[in-house]
Every structure is written in C-alpha cells, then in structure tokens.
Amino acid sequence: MSRQSGQAIHSRCFLPLMAVLLTLTMLISPAAGEFLVEVPVLAAFRSNDQGVFEIMLFHWDQKTSPDPIALQWRQGGVILGKENLDSLVVAFRYAIERTPSLTHTGTVTVQGIAYLPTASDGPSAGAAMAVGLIAMFKGESVRRGMALTGTIQPDGAIGHVGAIPDKVRAAAREGCRTILVPAGQLHDSRWDLTRLGFELNVEIKEVGTIDDAYELMTGRRI
C-alpha cells in the first residue's frame, strides 16, 4: 500500500499511536457476542524511505440482518483508494470462504487509524486485511509485535509488493519484532532484507499463503 499524503514520521511513536487506538477502540467497543480485531498495515510514502504504520480495526456486530453479511468502510484517519478497497473486498470474500461453519450475517465495519489524515492506495495490504477478517470471524486475536505486507490472490496466495524496506522500517519503529513478507522477496536485487533486519534487530520471514501468515500472526490454524 502506498501513502499519497501526510508527512514522514521519524521518531519512536509506538505509544502515541497505541493511545489513539485505545481511544477509538473504546468508542466502538463491541457488545457481548461481537468481535473487534486490530491489525497493523504497512505502507510506503513516496518522498522518503521511512515507511508508514497504520492500524486497521475490524468489527463484526453479528446481528441476524442484513443477510447476506454487509461490509462497510468507516471514514476515519485513512482514506482508501480504489485498489485498496478492491483488495478489501477480495479479503472479505476469502475470509467468508475460509470460515464456512459460521453464519455470516450482520455488518462488518472496517476503519483505518493513522497519525495524520492520509489517503492510501495499492493492493499490498490485502493479505493483512484477510488475516484480520478471518481472526474477527473466528473470535481470535492477532499478536502484537508482528506485521505483514503482501497482496492477496483469490486462492489465498500472498503476492509480491514493492518498497518492502520502507515498510520494514515503519514496523520496526513501532516496536514490531517480526515482519512477514511474500515468499520469494527476502532476497531481491532491489534490497538486502537480511542486512536490514540485522540493523533494525527484527526478524523478517517469508510467507506464501494466508494460512501460513495466519498461523504465525495468531498462533492458531484457520
């Protein structure tokens, strides 16, 4: 995902963003039987090499209507572009397919949180969205300290993305110690992620499918 506006964040800002997250979580605190899941989303800002850290909140009210289930984007600190919205729809459909034992009714609300109001576009948050949506449906949590970048294919494969070093820097700055990247992109002529991981004291792992990413990010299998 690429960021189109806003400014670079150069300082350690994990706690401020977490404070914003806690405030918004309180505002949309789920009632009994409802699920709320938070997932980090990494983006790249064109004019620098620092990367951007955003958080997506996924909330399912589990009501009996509408039927079939509805998906809505709540306008917040992040404005999604067409590619990003398309990826959200693909991730949503995939999450429904992977949780066939559930009754999918009600409304799923997705909201983005960032330091400053910003517009984002690109498909590279698709895999992270899929993990978040599946966890939401299953009532499971995504581990803190982990982040994922990658597109989602209809069959659940994780596709390649660009600007991975920028995204790794953003995740490391926010306190993430494990960053998951698409299979085949750890070693690339455009960057040296092994060296970058050593410099930032983070572990960078490849994942090929949503199933692989989900197990690492939640500690559970789909």
Side-chain angles (χ1 to χ4, degrees):
M1 186 165 65
S2 60
R3 186 181 183 183
Q4 306 298 327
S5 63
Q7 65 184 39
I9 306 297
H10 297 278
S11 61
R12 292 179 177 268
C13 3
F14 179 71
L15 290 178
L17 186 55
M18 288 302 103
V20 172
L21 171 63
L22 289 173
T23 301
L24 288 177
T25 300
M26 291 174 62
L27 291 175
I28 58 175
S29 180
E34 299 180 9
F35 295 138
L36 178 66
V37 172
E38 61 189 64
V39 178
V41 172
L42 306 177
F45 188 38
R46 292 177 179 175
S47 64
N48 66 66
D49 62 355
Q50 299 302 306
V52 177
F53 186 91
E54 300 168 354
I55 291 175
M56 292 290 178
L57 296 179
F58 299 91
H59 173 248
W60 181 24
D61 63 15
Q62 287 196 290
K63 294 181 179 179
T64 56
S65 64
D67 184 5
I69 194 168
L71 173 67
Q72 68 177 10
W73 170 256
R74 176 180 290 179
Q75 194 63 49
V78 179
I79 301 172
L80 296 188
K82 183 181 183 303
E83 279 191 287
N84 214 316
L85 288 172
D86 288 345
S87 295
L88 175 58
V89 171
V90 173
F92 182 63
R93 290 172 178 168
Y94 183 78
I96 291 174
E97 292 174 0
R98 293 310 311 276
T99 53
S101 64
L102 300 177
T103 299
H104 299 98
T105 60
T107 301
V108 171
T109 302
V110 185
Q111 182 174 6
I113 302 170
Y115 295 101
L116 296 172
T118 184
S120 296
D121 203 5
S124 67
M129 290 177 176
V131 169
L133 287 163
I134 294 171
M136 175 201 69
F137 282 134
K138 289 169 62 67
E140 297 173 350
S141 299
V142 174
R143 291 169 168 171
R144 290 286 179 89
M146 300 190 71
L148 164 68
T149 184
T151 66
I152 178 174
Q153 307 301 316
D155 63 354
I158 295 177
H160 287 196
V161 295
I164 291 181
D166 295 4
K167 297 168 184 176
V168 169
R169 292 186 186 97
R173 187 178 63 238
E174 293 296 329
C176 293
R177 300 272 63 90
T178 303
I179 298 99
L180 307 180
V181 302
Q185 289 205 282
L186 184 61
H187 304 288
D188 191 292
S189 60
R190 293 170 293 177
W191 49 65
D192 186 346
L193 294 184
T194 300
R195 178 177 179 180
L196 182 61
F198 179 78
E199 292 174 350
L200 298 176
N201 191 30
V202 298
E203 183 178 17
I204 304 174
K205 294 183 177 181
E206 292 186 338
V207 285
T209 67
I210 299 299
D211 285 43
D212 295 338
Y214 190 88
E215 185 169 355
L216 288 169
M217 295 184 76
T218 67
R220 299 175 180 270
R221 294 184 178 180
I222 296 178

